[in-house]
């Protein structure tokens, strides 16, 4: 006599078929390369999504057809088993092939073949783990239904039991689990914010926050703030690169602990900027940081090299969280910080005599571009109140980015749109080459967006659930596999899974921007006597160590 199937292994036939389809589809190419372990996790989640949709679809069909559930024949399960083995083997082989192709596009080393064989095992563990959790919730619902049925009618008992389980689950997931995880991450990273990277010491220069005479205490700057003011090219390095005498750049920063809120931090930063003589330099750059307060070192160093050190840079911190996590939970703080800092700088800058104002520029990368955008209402406002803007890797929900992209000129692709013939705002994947539209004039005040077609931060959007985006309808970007297609539900989850991988690829791909900053600043500032040879030297100089 055969043993009964364990409860945690019991599945419906309809749900299992759809779970199999979704699991196989999860091996289709996405934006970035994955390890076998991570692919297994993604496949397991995809299978759970498919199983839930399959069960729901079968239930709806039975309700409309007024038919009771039927026990599948053993042959149906045998067919599923055989087809499942064949389909998963094919999906695994194709997935391995596509992963190799993606890695070749990005010059990423290929992992050991055995690594990818872990994917089905991990997927099965994730699938049955989540399924068991879901059945535990169903058992709670049935128990509660039985208890309530003793006191109220059966329909009311079922409704109240279902509502209670849904509400409690939602509260636990969002209030305890999600909010708890975010709070734990924030506390953990706040502790890390009190540390200082090796080799970073308080500046001896009065031109840096945290240095002699600064209004901002060194201890309040946070880890990334201390990195920003404690590092950067020296006067000797700037002079050696340009071949002429350079100035010492000014760097000003207010950390999360420097003042109680975004507006107070902005006011403190502007006062320290004024103290250091930042408004007397030829170029003034306002930076909206990423979530952790990170100021992209290659971006600001490139700015100082291109301007010969005759520059001042000001930034503030608004969070402790990583950039990709801040994209999901810290949007409001990024908006407040970006608007507060630019408004405070602009208020003082505009009070100066017209002939004594530095060129005013704005920079933001990732969530920093979102914060930077919020100080402006449109392209004319950007042009009227700045001398140049560089936004890099903008999240899909950026208001101005979406406006410029959604209303792009007919015939231009979403991966490199053209907006109003490029009169003010332009987009580029590789700004070292000519930025389209090449033949059209570009005004004195320029706005440039840098984006990689393989950057998941740019493309992630809830609309991927049910609508095919233009970037997957039009020809793919040069670093995106042509085999990547849009599939309802699946593509949204695939791109969501790519988010934490955005910084795990070489420069020039995903969410890793380095050498592009050099060409971006050259395109905006147009320094006299600058050559492509200088750009190549500077890109090589700023290339991060492997």
């Amino acid at each position: 006599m055969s043993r009964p199937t364990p409860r945690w292994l019991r599945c419906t036939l309809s749900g299992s078929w759809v779970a199999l389809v979704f699991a196989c589809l999860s091996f289709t190419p996405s934006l970035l390369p994955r390890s076998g372990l991570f692919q297994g996790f993604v496949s397991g989640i995809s299978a759970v999504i498919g199983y839930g949709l399959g069960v729901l679809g079968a239930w709806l069909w039975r309700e409309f057809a007024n038919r009771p559930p039927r026990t599948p024949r053993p042959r149906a399960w045998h067919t599923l088993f055989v087809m499942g083995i064949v389909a998963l083997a094919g999906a695994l082989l194709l997935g391995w092939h596509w992963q190799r192709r993606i890695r070749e596009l990005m010059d990423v080393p290929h992992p050991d073949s055995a690594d990818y064989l872990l994917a089905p095992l991990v997927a099965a563990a994730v699938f049955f783990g989540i399924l068991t959790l879901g059945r535990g919730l169903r058992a709670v619902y049935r128990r509660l239904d039985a208890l309530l049925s003793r006191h109220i009618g059966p329909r009311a008992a079922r409704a109240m039991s279902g509502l209670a389980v849904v509400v409690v689950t939602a509260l636990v997931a969002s209030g305890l689990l999600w909010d708890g995880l975010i709070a734990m991450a924030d506390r953990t990273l706040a502790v890390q914010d009190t540390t200082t990277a090796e080799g970073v010491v308080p500046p001896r220069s009065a031109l840096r926050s945290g240095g002699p005479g600064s209004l901002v205490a060194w201890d309040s700057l946070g880890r990334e703030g201390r990195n920003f003011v404690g590092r950067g090219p020296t006067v000797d390095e700037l002079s050696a690169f340009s071949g002429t005498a350079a100035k010492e750049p000014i760097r000003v920063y207010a950390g999360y602990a420097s003042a109680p809120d975004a507006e107070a931090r902005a006011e403190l930063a502007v006062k320290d900027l004024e103290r250091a003589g930042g408004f007397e330099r030829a170029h003034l750059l306002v930076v909206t940081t990423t979530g952790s307060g990170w100021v992209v070192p290659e971006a600001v160093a490139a700015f100082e090299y291109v301007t010969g050190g005759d520059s001042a840079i000001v930034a503030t911190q608004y969070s402790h969280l990583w950039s990709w996590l801040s994209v999901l939970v810290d949007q409001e703080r990024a908006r407040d910080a970006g608007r507060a800092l630019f408004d405070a700088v602009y208020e003082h800058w505009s009070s100066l005599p017209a002939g004594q104002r530095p060129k005013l520029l704005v920079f933001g990368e990732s969530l920093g571009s979102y914060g930077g955008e919020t100080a402006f209402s449109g392209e004319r406002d950007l042009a009227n109140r700045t001398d140049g803007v560089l936004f890099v890797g903008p999240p899909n929900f950026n208001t101005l980015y979406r406006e410029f992209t959604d209303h792009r000129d007919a015939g231009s692709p979403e991966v490199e749109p053209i907006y109003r013939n490029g009169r003010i705002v332009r987009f580029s994947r590789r700004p070292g080459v000519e930025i389209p539209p090449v033949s059209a004039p570009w005004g004195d005040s320029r706005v440039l967006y840098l984006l990689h077609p393989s950057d998941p931060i740019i493309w992630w959007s809830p609309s991927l659930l049910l609508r095919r985006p233009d970037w997957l309808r039009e020809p793919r970007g040069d670093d995106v596999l042509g085999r990547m297609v849009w599939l309802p539900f699946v593509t949204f989850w695939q791109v969501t899974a790519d988010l934490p991988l955005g910084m795990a690829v070489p420069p020039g791909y995903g969410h890793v921007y380095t050498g592009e900053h050099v060409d971006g600043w050259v395109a905006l500032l147009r320094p006299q006597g600058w050559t492509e040879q200088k750009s190549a030297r500077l890109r090589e100089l700023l290339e991060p160590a492997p």
Side-chain angles (χ1 to χ4, degrees):
M1 182 175 179
S2 61
R3 294 182 178 180
T5 304
R7 183 178 297 274
W8 63 275
L9 278 176
R10 295 177 189 171
C11 300
T12 68
L13 184 64
S14 56
S16 298
W17 271 111
V18 182
L20 173 63
V21 171
F22 270 59
C24 291
L25 291 175
S26 71
F27 287 92
T28 58
S30 61
L31 294 169
L32 301 173
R34 298 169 177 171
S35 66
L37 186 67
F38 192 77
Q39 178 62 57
F41 174 76
V42 173
S43 299
I45 297 291
S46 297
V48 169
I49 295 172
Y51 185 81
L53 291 174
V55 171
L56 177 62
W59 177 79
L60 289 174
W61 183 86
R62 290 195 305 269
E63 289 295 309
F64 280 108
N66 195 25
R67 293 183 179 180
R70 293 182 296 179
T71 302
R73 296 177 180 178
R75 182 180 297 179
W77 285 109
H78 294 157
T79 302
L80 172 65
F81 181 76
V82 174
M83 291 294 293
I85 296 255
V86 173
L88 286 174
L92 190 66
L93 288 173
L94 284 172
W96 171 245
H97 168 70
W98 286 323
Q99 286 296 315
R100 289 182 66 88
R101 292 287 309 281
I102 295 173
R103 291 173 183 274
E104 288 169 1
L105 282 177
M106 301 182 180
D107 296 322
V108 176
H110 300 295
D112 192 307
S113 302
D115 172 78
Y116 211 66
L117 295 178
L118 291 172
L121 300 177
V122 175
V126 171
F127 175 76
F128 285 110
I130 297 178
L131 204 62
T132 301
L133 178 62
R135 286 173 174 170
L137 293 175
R138 186 175 64 183
V140 171
Y141 158 75
R142 288 177 174 174
R143 179 66 175 167
L144 187 59
D145 180 33
L147 291 173
L148 291 176
S149 296
R150 300 174 185 175
H151 308 284
I152 59 178
R155 289 186 177 182
R158 286 195 297 271
M160 291 186 65
S161 300
L163 181 61
V165 171
V166 169
V167 170
V168 171
T169 302
L171 289 176
V172 170
S174 63
L176 296 181
L177 293 182
W178 179 248
D179 290 348
L181 287 173
I182 297 301
M184 183 176 66
D186 192 65
R187 287 194 300 270
T188 302
L189 295 172
V191 172
Q192 184 182 356
D193 219 25
T194 64
T195 65
T196 302
E198 185 178 355
V200 175
V201 297
R204 299 178 180 177
S205 171
L207 302 183
R208 303 283 174 115
S209 290
S214 173
L215 303 179
V216 185
W218 168 258
D219 292 339
S220 74
L221 291 173
R223 183 181 178 89
E224 296 301 341
R226 288 190 284 274
N227 286 341
F228 171 62
V229 301
R231 292 173 174 168
T234 65
V235 174
D236 291 341
E237 289 171 334
L238 293 171
S239 300
F241 176 82
S242 64
T244 59
K247 290 186 176 181
E248 180 184 356
I250 295 173
R251 291 190 174 193
V252 169
Y253 192 96
Y256 194 77
S258 300
D261 54 46
E263 188 171 326
R265 286 190 287 271
E267 292 176 358
L268 176 62
V270 169
K271 289 178 181 178
D272 206 37
L273 181 67
E274 183 181 8
R275 173 205 60 81
F279 291 97
E280 299 168 14
R281 293 300 177 96
H283 304 87
L284 172 57
L285 177 62
V286 181
V287 175
T288 303
T289 64
T290 62
S292 61
W294 185 52
V295 179
V296 186
E298 295 84 6
V300 291
F303 181 78
E304 290 169 341
Y305 273 105
V306 172
T307 59
D310 193 3
S311 63
I313 304 175
V314 58
T316 61
Q317 180 187 12
Y318 56 84
S319 175
H320 300 118
L321 300 178
W322 301 296
S323 180
W324 69 269
L325 189 55
S326 296
V327 165
L328 300 177
V329 301
D330 256 359
Q331 297 177 24
E332 184 176 351
R333 283 199 274 184
R335 180 177 64 244
D336 293 343
R339 183 185 295 120
L341 181 59
F342 182 82
D343 287 348
V345 171
Y346 185 77
E347 181 179 6
H348 185 89
W349 178 88
S350 59
S351 69
L352 300 174
Q356 299 178 22
R357 299 171 184 168
K359 286 189 174 181
L360 183 59
L361 298 108
V362 171
F363 172 78
E365 185 161 327
S366 190
L367 193 58
S369 70
Y370 172 76
E373 275 191 2
T374 56
F376 305 95
S377 60
E379 62 159 353
R380 288 297 185 187
D381 193 27
L382 284 162
N384 291 336
R385 295 205 289 158
T386 71
D387 293 286
V389 176
L390 182 62
F391 288 141
V392 180
N396 193 266
F397 52 74
N398 277 24
T399 304
L400 295 185
Y401 168 72
R402 284 263 47 99
E403 177 184 333
F404 301 147
T405 302
D406 292 343
H407 297 90
R408 62 189 183 274
D409 295 353
S412 64
E414 188 174 12
V415 293
E416 197 169 45
I418 295 175
Y419 180 74
R420 297 190 176 179
N421 205 30
R423 62 185 185 184
I424 295 172
V425 179
R426 296 197 178 187
F427 300 80
S428 178
R429 316 178 202 179
R430 300 284 185 267
V433 298
E434 293 179 318
I435 300 173
V438 178
S439 59
W442 198 3
D444 291 334
S445 180
R446 301 177 171 187
V447 178
L448 178 61
Y449 283 85
L450 302 184
L451 44 90
H452 294 153
S454 59
D455 186 350
I457 295 290
I458 295 175
W459 309 124
W460 183 87
S461 169
S463 65
L464 286 173
L465 281 167
L466 298 173
R467 184 175 65 85
R468 182 170 64 167
D470 289 344
W471 60 274
L472 284 176
R473 189 191 309 271
E474 302 161 346
R476 311 292 185 269
D478 53 8
D479 55 350
V480 175
L481 204 62
R483 293 288 184 178
M484 183 178 181
V485 297
W486 176 79
L487 299 165
F489 297 101
V490 175
T491 301
F492 170 77
W493 170 236
Q494 292 274 60
V495 176
T496 301
D498 281 331
L499 289 175
L501 303 178
M503 301 294 288
V505 291
Y509 304 99
H511 200 55
V512 184
Y513 300 83
T514 53
E516 297 94 332
H517 299 115
V518 174
D519 300 309
W521 289 127
V522 171
L524 294 178
L525 296 172
R526 293 150 289 166
Q528 290 186 349
W530 195 270
T531 63
E532 173 52 36
Q533 289 73 23
K534 276 191 172 183
S535 291
R537 282 175 52 211
L538 186 51
R539 284 195 297 268
E540 184 178 356
L541 183 65
L542 297 179
E543 185 175 343

